[in-house]
Amino acid sequence: MPVNDDRSWNENDLNAKLQEAKSAGIKYLIFHLSMGTTMFESVDHTSLIKRVTEKNNFDFFIHVDAAFGGFIYPFTSSDRDLTFENPLITSITIDGHKMLQAPYGTGIFICRKGFIENTRTVEASYVQGTDFTLCGSRSGANAIAVWMILMTHGYEGWKYQMQKLIDRTDHICETLDELKISYYRHPNMNIIAIKAHGIKPEIAKKYHLVADDFQNPKWWKIVTMMHVEKRLIDEFLLDLHQSVLN
Ligand SMILES: *Cc1c(COP(=O)(O)O)cnc(C)c1O
């Protein structure tokens, strides 16, 4: 899907695609909205979906991909548009193995009452009960790990940790602004996507920045996690200052 400069969905394009779908006889849709995309950590809104579906008269469901952002955004922002507080949201995925740093394989799917039946498949009917939770070879230890991490921090504790990441990300953005280096960053999120021409390749390499495409980078991404400490950030910013002056 083409997006606008602020990473929001392009309304004209969406309308055109819906017209196409309508002509093809499609009546029901599932919209997949993001609470934090992988490269930019941008966040979608339901207002646009409401507008375009009313105009085109579609029935729809909304699924939220909160794989990356789900363990930070609700703690750093008061926006509840993509949560179950919004009656339009039917299901959400959220990963324990991203921000929460649980072991791999702790992806979580949650949906409203009555909808889980739609995910029951017959493919694994050799497992007794075609159950959705801990059967077959799914690891109960993973579920316990997520529970332990959440209980150890508590809501306030996690909120504090996430705010700390936002403060560090703000600090980096202030320097980027000073140096007039262009970037995208959602104000409640901990990813900064910097336009590639603003960063010398040797700096990207030294600090292991993540490219959107390592063959031909257009963006370099910084993810401010707990281990990205102030000392490392200041060293990076100093190098950046020097590279701009030279
Ligand atoms: C990591 C990620 C996924 C993939 O999820 P896995 O559970 O790791 O397979 C999907 N969407 C977003 C936005 C992600 O960051």
Side-chain angles (χ1 to χ4, degrees):
M1 287 277 301
V3 291
N4 303 315
D5 282 348
D6 66 355
R7 313 299 312 169
S8 62
W9 291 29
N10 185 297
E11 187 159 352
N12 290 337
D13 179 75
L14 185 60
N15 271 318
K17 286 211 167 61
L18 290 183
Q19 281 303 327
E20 243 173 72
K22 207 173 181 176
S23 317
I26 292 170
K27 293 199 190 95
Y28 308 101
L29 298 170
I30 297 178
F31 287 99
H32 182 132
L33 302 193
S34 295
M35 183 188 281
T37 53
T38 310
M39 190 64 205
F40 296 94
E41 224 179 11
S42 54
V43 179
D44 295 325
H45 299 281
T46 58
S47 50
L48 169 67
I49 304 299
K50 261 194 274 192
R51 225 170 26 245
V52 296
T53 48
E54 268 164 26
K55 203 155 81 186
N56 292 286
N57 219 355
F58 276 110
D59 269 338
F60 63 95
F61 293 103
I62 297 180
H63 172 75
V64 176
D65 178 355
F68 195 94
F71 278 113
I72 176 162
Y73 191 64
F75 297 90
T76 56
S77 158
S78 56
D79 174 17
R80 296 288 174 264
D81 186 40
L82 297 185
T83 71
F84 288 126
E85 283 182 34
N86 181 346
L88 289 176
I89 308 299
T90 307
S91 59
I92 299 175
T93 44
I94 178 166
D95 276 356
H97 54 259
K98 298 277 178 71
M99 283 308 296
L100 207 59
Q101 296 184 289
Y104 259 126
T106 42
I108 300 164
F109 175 78
I110 33 181
C111 62
R112 288 193 188 275
K113 276 209 176 88
F115 284 92
I116 195 76
E117 287 302 321
N118 298 308
T119 69
R120 189 196 286 276
T121 61
V122 293
E123 280 82 358
S125 53
Y126 54 86
V127 179
Q128 195 185 6
T130 54
D131 171 74
F132 312 105
T133 54
L134 296 172
C135 68
S137 48
R138 291 173 206 152
S139 167
N142 275 352
I144 293 171
V146 171
W147 188 84
M148 283 296 296
I149 295 169
L150 293 175
M151 290 305 129
T152 304
H153 290 282
Y155 175 77
E156 289 302 329
W158 191 250
K159 195 171 164 171
Y160 174 77
Q161 292 296 340
M162 293 305 99
Q163 190 52 46
K164 221 157 70 174
L165 299 185
I166 295 299
D167 294 345
R168 286 181 204 171
T169 314
D170 287 349
H171 176 56
I172 300 172
C173 288
E174 278 161 25
T175 304
L176 293 175
D177 288 337
E178 250 172 65
L179 298 176
K180 300 194 171 29
I181 295 173
S182 16
Y183 61 91
Y184 173 87
R185 183 240 174 156
H186 185 294
N188 300 104
M189 292 295 214
N190 62 326
I191 286 180
I192 308 168
I194 305 172
K195 287 248 171 84
H197 60 74
I199 297 273
K200 294 233 164 89
E202 54 272 24
I203 291 188
K205 195 165 171 224
K206 179 174 173 191
Y207 292 95
H208 305 282
L209 303 192
V210 179
D212 59 333
D213 170 358
F214 278 95
Q215 301 295 330
N216 180 24
K218 287 197 191 66
W219 299 89
W220 288 109
K221 165 170 95 162
I222 298 174
V223 187
T224 317
M225 301 286 281
M226 309 248 203
H227 63 279
V228 182
E229 286 173 4
K230 183 130 194 327
R231 187 190 49 77
L232 178 68
I233 292 174
D234 285 338
E235 194 185 315
F236 166 73
L237 294 177
L238 203 63
D239 274 350
L240 207 56
H241 251 292
Q242 267 158 6
S243 82
V244 169
L245 290 179
N246 289 333

